[in-house]
Amino acid sequence: MKSSNTIVWINVFTAKPGKLDELVAIQAEELLNFKKGSQGVPGWISSRWHRSVDNNKAIMVTTFESIDFHKNWLEKSEFREHFNKINHLIEDTEGGYYTLVEEIENM
């Protein structure tokens, strides 16, 4: 599959010691909320939430229709409320925008 015009936000979370399970659970619940409501989160396409098997990191890979849709979500009160729920669990976070160059599947 060749590239598309969508944007991917990849965020690497470093949880505080002993807090990864709680962070993973809250984030997973929040992702389900993306689909709820009358329209869900505008411009949101999909998310994948991964946790490391040997330390305190987790990675969120979220696809939006555009950077503007993602930035608009970050300005919403719903996002701020969610961030306030997880902020005390996070030691560090690093994120950035990416575009899909190539996707190869074995299906």
Side-chain angles (χ1 to χ4, degrees), residues 10-70:
I10 298 177
N11 207 349
V12 180
F13 296 88
T14 302
K16 289 182 178 175
K19 298 296 184 182
L20 183 61
D21 289 342
E22 189 176 352
L23 175 62
V24 166
I26 292 172
Q27 283 290 88
E29 183 180 318
E30 179 65 9
L31 288 177
L32 292 175
N33 291 334
F34 273 37
K35 295 172 68 172
K36 292 181 180 176
S38 59
Q39 299 148 355
V41 174
W44 173 76
I45 297 171
S46 67
S47 292
R48 297 185 80 171
W49 181 224
H50 306 265
R51 68 176 287 153
S52 62
V53 295
D54 59 357
N55 65 27
N56 61 339
K57 292 189 185 276
I59 298 174
M60 175 84 65
V61 180
T62 303
T63 305
F64 279 88
E65 292 176 18
S66 70
I67 291 174
D68 286 340
F69 274 114
H70 180 249

Side-chain angles (χ1 to χ4, degrees), residues 11 13 23 26-27 30 73-74 76-90 92-93:
N11 207 349
F13 296 88
L23 175 62
I26 292 172
Q27 283 290 88
E30 179 65 9
W73 165 243
L74 297 178
K76 301 259 184 205
S77 62
E78 293 93 338
F79 172 78
R80 285 191 301 279
E81 289 170 16
H82 170 68
F83 184 76
N84 288 338
K85 281 197 261 183
I86 63 169
N87 192 35
H88 71 284
L89 305 172
I90 299 169
D92 190 33
T93 184

